[in-house]
């Protein structure tokens, strides 16, 4: 045994291992968990998103992305790009400011933290004195204006973060310079907004919370003009020409103010409550965008009527008579408008509205009629319905790829055709070597097909299985039926929909045959659907069969959910994967394993009760096998009773403790009076509770017994053409492994193609192996005469694999949670084993065969087992000798849901969920590595930079050249994940989502 | 009644033959009896298999006193340490079986069913403060029956005393294997599991390791109570007699190899049912092309000699699983070998 722990120091092998294996976490796919801030640089055309765990992510053109992590792991409150620079400043909720820059390094750009700074007040001042509420990076690029809760505005030099004390704008200074009639000290508390004059960098607009707005001359330190609103101020926005600005308020109103040097106190031009007259919620941010035709775009967040629509997360766009309130399913974090950034342009001419909601990014095309949404190429909301399972298929044939894309494009017609408007930076990563699909199953019964070839995880096609079934919510109901004169003009946008109509629809297992286009999906209520790819819409009847997995077992009662009701008659399916066979397991327990053999046209499925084989050509159930232990009553009763019994046992143990405590006391105490006894009881109840809290966690040590519950749970199914009966004849076979360490092998007789419809498929049990250690069987694999895993069905037919060696003797590899064992075939005798749990105390959670190519030569590759353990380690184990090659820590062991979600690819990469909405991608291979590599070049500063020249502070040294990539980024990636998982709330949330999915 | 007869000391033969001889001598061919003898310490010990029969014959000096009781009214408690001194007259006990002056003794199982449940091993190579306990789970329906917890222990390090995390036994289930051996106790610190140190491993890891090794679990503990430690080089009679016996084979310095080898040999017979329906233990893939049957026989015989006891049939019935109606009976090797030849015992 030991020899496996200390692999021999064969220098040749060691060198080869270095050429084959290498662990990297490369990129995070999906939507950042708990976003908290948004920033945009019209100059770089990059967008930045900050999160509650202190991460900052930059996105530009597809493939251009950067990640950074604040060491503090605090919530990012605000993000501001420095004008015309590759730099940005973030404000965290601990009141610290951080300067980040994009620098070139090794041919690629890299995001790095340069400086950090916390504003310090004079000794003894309250913390609010320096609590930053507004940040204004000045266009001169050398100073930041920081508005605070105290009303002071501090000036900080960049990049040193040195406070220029003599330039601080104090409330006293402001008050001195405006007439005192209706202002007092309290008017200047809390700076809500700081805005630089669009034409004159020497003037800034200061908005205080109590509605006092001051136009301040920075050169002469005086108030040019002041404006007094009647409602608490939320935000300010300059019009492009600087002649007017607009303020928005807590009561849902916005006000336009004229700017002129003549009158020192101005009256508003216009005051509007767009959703009045009843009380409205605050408008927290507003844009006023000019257009050539004279009609402005007024875009604001909030302002809904408080009573009737106060719970909506909306952003309204008003353009002339057109008005729409975009209604988001999750809270709006922030938004920005992409408009003409050319300073010389006369009009804003907005082109797109970019909204960061808590769970998704929505981009609205403002140029096209009807303001359609733009399909984002990245930041996909993986969790628009909770992910319940995932399946990866490598190297998709071009034909299938195109058909999936075309099916998907038919679903996306309502999207705008506008090119992605956030297009900064250049992707310099090599083209992905192959087409990879990641399929995710969701709680709402959908399967999403993602292009997982490159850095951008992009939705290709969405498949819904709901149509096959009758559910309470009819999918034909249009959610968006709303009358024309509905007010406010709400329009639902986005795809995030956390509410599942029926949890039984949840997808649990997916299997796609990339050669034939057959897809099998199985769900929570024992449903198994076999589908075929059809390029046209079609209406047909889905053949329906039932598989009674209990067969002769009598007297069992299923207390779980009912099976799904099917739709009678033909069902209309859109182009794409269309179901033609439905098998429903009885009892309708969760499908725990699934295998599809597209060549033999067979599908095998297993639940906690047994497994079955279905011939989807003849549409006939071939056989079922019950795997239950006769004494295993619990497995039959369904999930509900389990919960109940757990509760019951907990309650009982509480009682037992209490009772024993009390009785022992009584015995000792003898005859006390009643009140004394009661008192004592109360005290002991308390003591018992306290003791329970203090009692350390215990673990029971007990051998697994055959009577254990869940032993019948079918964990894995596998089709193989191998020597099951004798060594001269090979035949199709089906293998099944259970939670109780049993492996069943069935010999199949599949009629030849010409008589496939005439003769039935037959199956006969040939072998049954009971592993003595009784650990759950998580993988079964047959190795051919050359010790190569058998190819996938149709792989050989498509000339993509050498045909297996049917001359030499085959071997059977059984992977349990505790051991790897190789047996000979057809006579099953144990040949080799590797004990994992007995030696290391870890258990196998996921195992796949992966092909590892050498990074040095093209002609060497080998097959190994990629294994993820319950400790979150990844181990690579050689085939067929079962020697541990290398081990990498990958996922934190506490991150149970991350470990459960892990999926390996066939070429040594993998994905796992770091939050409900994000996949981390990792690579074990030196050869197959998908990671972002991009350059952000500093665009030429346009003619109009007289502004900066005038300020004369351009610092050539600071001029940032695009950065670099590589190790540091990887490090930060890991840190970020760490940050996420350190957050207990996040962990709980992830867990609850996953549990909810079950 | 008393009988006197002689045996050839060098060739005592099999227990079964001896048993037949006794029945013959006493003219009680169809009566089940328990056979016992008094050893040199005056203890009444059972004779019920080849091993203790041989032991009895070899230690007879020169006479071997044998006691025979009817099985129905046998007093099992008569056997054991100090029986002869504790009970002045065993025979009187035998004659008056329901004479219970003190509290009744617990009736333990038939002596034929004796098999090891636990042993202290490697006494000679471990520090005296440690104890390595082997629990033989298989062959018994008894649960292992203990719980472990996290805790901390104090270690002497170059920097002085240091508190380090450790794994401790937190609870013994009454009637479980662990408790019944008396070799493990609450608050014993677990140091190793089947030769693998547990330091640096989490509670869950250690739990998994123990469960993975549950069929042949070897735990090295630092007992909380250090007063009952085995004192080296002094053969104490009594309950530890069995343990010292078992520790003998592992007196070689290479403990780990020993432990693991034993484990490899004994704990891993997976069972295969071919389509014929006969369950069999899976043999090791051997270069020779012997039949599966013969291989598994060899395994079994090897095992039985290794442990010094016949495999009990419980071991197999334990394995019967799932919906298969057949029993996993392994052919008993015993009776067959008995029929080989005639008696070698002489009167």
């Amino acid at each position: 045994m030991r020899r496996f722990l200390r692999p021999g120091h064969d220098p040749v092998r060691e060198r080869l291992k270095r050429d084959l294996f290498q662990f990297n976490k490369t990129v995070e796919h999906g939507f950042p968990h708990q976003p908290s801030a948004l920033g945009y640089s019209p100059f770089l055309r990059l967008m930045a998103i900050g999160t509650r765990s202190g991460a900052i992510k930059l996105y530009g053109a597809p493939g251009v992305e950067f990640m950074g992590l604040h060491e503090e792991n605090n919530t990012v409150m605000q993000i501001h790009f420095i004008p015309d620079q590759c730099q940005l400043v973030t404000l965290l909720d601990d009141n610290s400011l951080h300067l980040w820059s994009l620098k070139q390094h090794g041919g690629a750009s890299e995001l790095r933290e340069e400086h950090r700074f916390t504003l310090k007040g004079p000794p003894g001042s309250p913390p609010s004195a320096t609590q930053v509420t507004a940040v204004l990076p000045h266009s001169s690029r050398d100073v930041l204006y920081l508005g605070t809760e105290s009303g002071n505005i501090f000036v900080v030099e960049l990049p040193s973060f040195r406070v220029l004390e003599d330039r601080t704008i104090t409330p006293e200074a402001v008050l001195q310079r405006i007439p005192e009639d209706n202002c007092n000290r309290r008017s200047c508390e809390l700076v809500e907004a700081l805005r630089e004059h669009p034409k004159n960098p020497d003037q800034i607009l200061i908005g205080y919370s109590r509605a006092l707005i001051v136009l301040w001359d920075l050169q002469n330190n005086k108030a040019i003009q002041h404006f007094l609103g009647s409602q608490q101020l939320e935000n300010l926005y300059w019009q492009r020409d600087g002649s007017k600005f607009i303020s928005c308020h807590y009561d849902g109103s916005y006000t336009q103010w004229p700017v002129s040097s003549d009158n020192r106190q101005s009256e508003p031009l216009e005051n509007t409550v767009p959703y009045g007259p009843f009380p409205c919620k605050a408008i927290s941010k507003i844009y006023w965008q000019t257009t050539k035709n004279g009609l402005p775009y007024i875009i604001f967040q909030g302002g809904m009527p408080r009573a009737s629509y106060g719970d909506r997360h909306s952003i309204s766009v008003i353009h002339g008579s057109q008005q729409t309130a975009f209604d988001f399913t999750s809270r709006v974090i922030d938004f920005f408008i992409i408009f003409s950034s050319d300073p010389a342009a006369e009009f804003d001419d907005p082109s797109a509205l970019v909204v960061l909601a808590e769970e998704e990014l929505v981009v609205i095309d403002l140029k096209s009629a009807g303001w359609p949404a733009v399909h984002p190429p990245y930041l996909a909301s993986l969790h628009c319905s909770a992910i319940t399972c995932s399946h990866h298929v490598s190297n998709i044939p071009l034909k299938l790829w195109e058909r999936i894309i075309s099916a998907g494009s038919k679903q996306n017609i309502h999207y705008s055709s506008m090119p992605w408007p956030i297009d900064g930076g250049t992707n310099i990563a090599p083209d992905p070597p192959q087409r990879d699909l990641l399929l995710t199953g969701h709680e709402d019964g959908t399967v999403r097909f993602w292009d997982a070839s490159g850095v951008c995880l992009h939705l290709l096609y969405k498949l819904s299985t709901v149509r096959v079934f009758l559910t309470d919510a009819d999918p034909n109901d249009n959610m968006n039926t709303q009358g024309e004169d509905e007010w406010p003009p709400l329009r639902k946008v986005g795809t995030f929909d956390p509410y599942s109509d029926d949890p039984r629809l949840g997808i649990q297992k997916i299997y796609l045959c990339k050669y034939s286009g057959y897809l099998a999906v199985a769900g929570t209520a024992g449903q198994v659907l076999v589908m075929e790819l059809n390029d046209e819409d079609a209406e047909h009847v889905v053949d329906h069969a039932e598989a009674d997995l209990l067969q002769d077992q009598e007297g069992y009662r299923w207390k779980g959910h009912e099976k799904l009701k099917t739709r009678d008659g033909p069902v209309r399916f859109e182009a794409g994967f269309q179901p033609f066979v439905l098998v429903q397991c009885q009892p309708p327990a969760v499908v725990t394993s699934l295998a599809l053999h597209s060549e033999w046209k067979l599908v095998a499925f297993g639940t906690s009760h047994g497994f079955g084989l279905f011939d989807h050509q003849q549409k006939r159930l071939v056989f079922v096998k019950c795997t239950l232990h006769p004494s295993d009553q619990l497995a039959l009763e369904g999930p509900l009773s389990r919960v109940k019994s757990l509760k019951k046992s907990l309650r009982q143990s509480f009682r037992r403790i209490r009772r024993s405590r009390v009785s022992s006391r009584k015995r000792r105490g003898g005859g006390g009076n009643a009140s004394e006894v009661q008192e004592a009881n109360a005290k002991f109840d308390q003591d018992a509770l306290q003791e329970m809290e203090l009692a350390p966690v215990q673990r029971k040590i007990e051998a697994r017994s055959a009577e254990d519950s869940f032993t019948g749970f079918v964990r894995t199914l596998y089709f193989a053409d191998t020597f099951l009966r004798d060594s001269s004849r090979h035949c199709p076979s089906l293998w099944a492994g259970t939670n109780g360490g049993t492996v069943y092998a069935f010999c199949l007789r599949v009629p030849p193609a010409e008589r496939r419809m005439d003769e039935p498929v037959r199956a006969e049990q040939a072998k049954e192996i009971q592993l003595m250690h009784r650990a759950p069987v998580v993988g079964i694999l047959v190795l051919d005469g050359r010790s190569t895993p058998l190819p996938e069905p149709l792989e050989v037919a498509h000339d993509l694999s050498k045909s297996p060696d049917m001359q030499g003797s085959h071997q059977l590899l059984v992977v349990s949670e505790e051991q790897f064992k190789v047996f000979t075939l057809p006579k099953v005798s144990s040949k080799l084993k590797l004990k994992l749990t007995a030696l290391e105390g870890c258990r196998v959670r996921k195992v796949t065969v992966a092909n590892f190519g050498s990074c040095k030569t093209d002609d060497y590759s080998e097959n190994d087992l990629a294994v993820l353990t319950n400790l979150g380690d990844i181990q690579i184990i050689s085939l067929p000798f079962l020697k541990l090659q290398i081990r990498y820590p990958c996922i934190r062991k506490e991150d149970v849901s991350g470990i459960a979600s892990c999926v390996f690819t066939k070429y040594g990469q993998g994905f796992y969920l770091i939050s409900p909405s994000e996949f981390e991608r990792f690579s074990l291979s030196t050869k197959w590595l998908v990671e972002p590599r991009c350059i952000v070049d500093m665009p030429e500063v346009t003619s109009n930079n007289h502004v900066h020249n005038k300020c004369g502070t351009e610092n050539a040294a600071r001029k940032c050249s695009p950065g670099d990539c590589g190790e540091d980024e990887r490090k930060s990636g890991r840190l970020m994940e760490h940050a996420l998982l350190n957050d207990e709330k996040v962990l709980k949330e992830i867990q609850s989502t996953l549990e909810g999915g079950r | 009644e008393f009988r006197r007869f002689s045996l050839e000391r060098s060739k005592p033969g099999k227990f079964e033959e001896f048993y037949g001889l006794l029945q013959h001598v006493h003219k009680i061919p169809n009566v089940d009896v328990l056979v016992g003898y008094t050893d040199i310490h005056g203890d009444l010990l059972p004779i019920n298999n080849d091993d203790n029969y041989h032991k009895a014959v070899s230690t007879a000096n020169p006479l071997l006193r044998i006691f025979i009781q009817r099985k129905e009214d046998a007093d099992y408690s008569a056997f054991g340490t100090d029986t002869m001194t504790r009970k002045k007259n065993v025979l009187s006990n035998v004659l008056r079986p329901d004479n219970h002056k003190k509290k009744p003794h617990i009736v333990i199982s038939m002596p034929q069913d004796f098999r090891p449940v636990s042993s202290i091993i490697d006494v000679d190579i471990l520090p005296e403060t440690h104890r390595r306990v082997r629990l033989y789970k298989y062959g018994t329906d008894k649960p292992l029956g203990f719980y472990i917890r996290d805790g901390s222990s104090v270690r002497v390090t170059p920097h002085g005393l240091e508190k380090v995390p450790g794994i401790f036994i937190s609870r013994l289930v009454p009637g479980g294997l662990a408790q019944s051996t008396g070799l493990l106790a609450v608050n014993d610190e677990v140091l190793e599991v089947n030769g693998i140190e547990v330091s640096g491993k989490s509670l869950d890891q250690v739990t998994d390791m123990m469960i993975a090794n549950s069929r042949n679990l070897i735990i090295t503990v630092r007992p909380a109570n250090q007063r009952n430690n085995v004192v080296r080089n002094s053969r104490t009679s009594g309950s530890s007699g069995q343990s010292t016996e078992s520790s003998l084979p592992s007196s070689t310095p290479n403990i780990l190899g020993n432990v693991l080898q034993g484990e490899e040999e004994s704990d891993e017979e997976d069972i295969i049912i071919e389509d014929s329906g006969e369950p069999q233990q899976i043999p090791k893939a051997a270069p020779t092309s012997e039949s599966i049957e013969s291989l598994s026989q060899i395994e079994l015989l090897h095992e039985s000699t290794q442990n010094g006891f016949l495999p009990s049939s419980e071991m197999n019935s334990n394995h019967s699983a799932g919906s298969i109606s057949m029993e996993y009976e392994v052919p008993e090797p015993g009776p067959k070998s008995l029929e080989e030849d005639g008696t070698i015992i002489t009167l």
Side-chain angles (χ1 to χ4, degrees), chain A residues 1-3 5 553 625-630 696-704 706-707 724-725 742 744 764-774 818-819 821 823-824 826-831 833 835 837-843 870-871 893, chain B residues 137 142-150 170-171 173 193-196 201-215 217 256 260 263-264 267-276 282-285 292 318-324 328:
Chain A
M1 272 300 100
R2 282 254 126 168
R3 63 184 182 268
L5 286 178
Q553 309 268 344
K625 164 93 185 165
C626 181
T627 52
L628 282 183
H629 192 271
V697 188
Q698 292 191 93
R699 291 283 183 272
K700 189 181 184 181
I701 306 298
E702 207 43 77
R704 260 184 285 267
E707 287 85 36
L724 190 55
R725 282 249 165 84
T742 313
Y744 301 93
E764 201 182 331
Q765 180 162 345
K767 281 183 170 47
E768 180 180 330
I769 302 169
Q770 174 62 57
L771 299 177
M772 231 46 264
H773 62 286
R774 295 191 183 283
E818 295 185 352
Q819 297 186 7
K821 296 192 97 164
F823 298 94
T824 57
K827 194 136 262 173
V828 176
S829 43
S830 75
K831 199 174 168 189
K833 74 179 160 202
K835 288 186 176 187
T837 313
L839 293 172
E840 295 178 43
C842 57
R843 311 169 66 85
N870 64 333
L871 303 180
K893 68 171 183 244
Chain B
K137 160 69 183 144
K142 258 188 195 176
L144 283 170
F146 67 101
Y147 289 73
I148 57 172
R149 63 167 170 89
D150 278 319
S170 61
R171 190 153 89 83
V173 178
V193 175
N194 289 52
I196 313 270
K201 292 202 158 62
S202 71
L203 184 64
D204 287 328
Q205 269 176 288
V206 177
T207 306
D208 282 339
M209 284 168 69
M210 286 187 173
I211 291 175
N213 287 306
S214 59
R215 287 168 50 78
L217 184 58
L256 209 70
L260 290 172
E263 175 194 36
E264 293 240 29
D267 84 330
E268 281 301 323
E269 298 88 19
D270 301 329
I271 290 171
I272 169 94
I273 305 174
E274 297 284 346
D275 38 0
S276 59
I282 297 179
K284 299 250 152 51
I292 290 170
N318 201 22
H319 305 153
S320 61
S323 50
I324 320 138
Y328 298 100

Side-chain angles (χ1 to χ4, degrees), chain A residues 601-615:
Chain A
K601 307 264 194 297
L602 295 173
V603 61
F605 45 88
T607 71
S608 48
H609 302 99
F611 58 96
L613 180 68
F614 191 85
D615 174 358

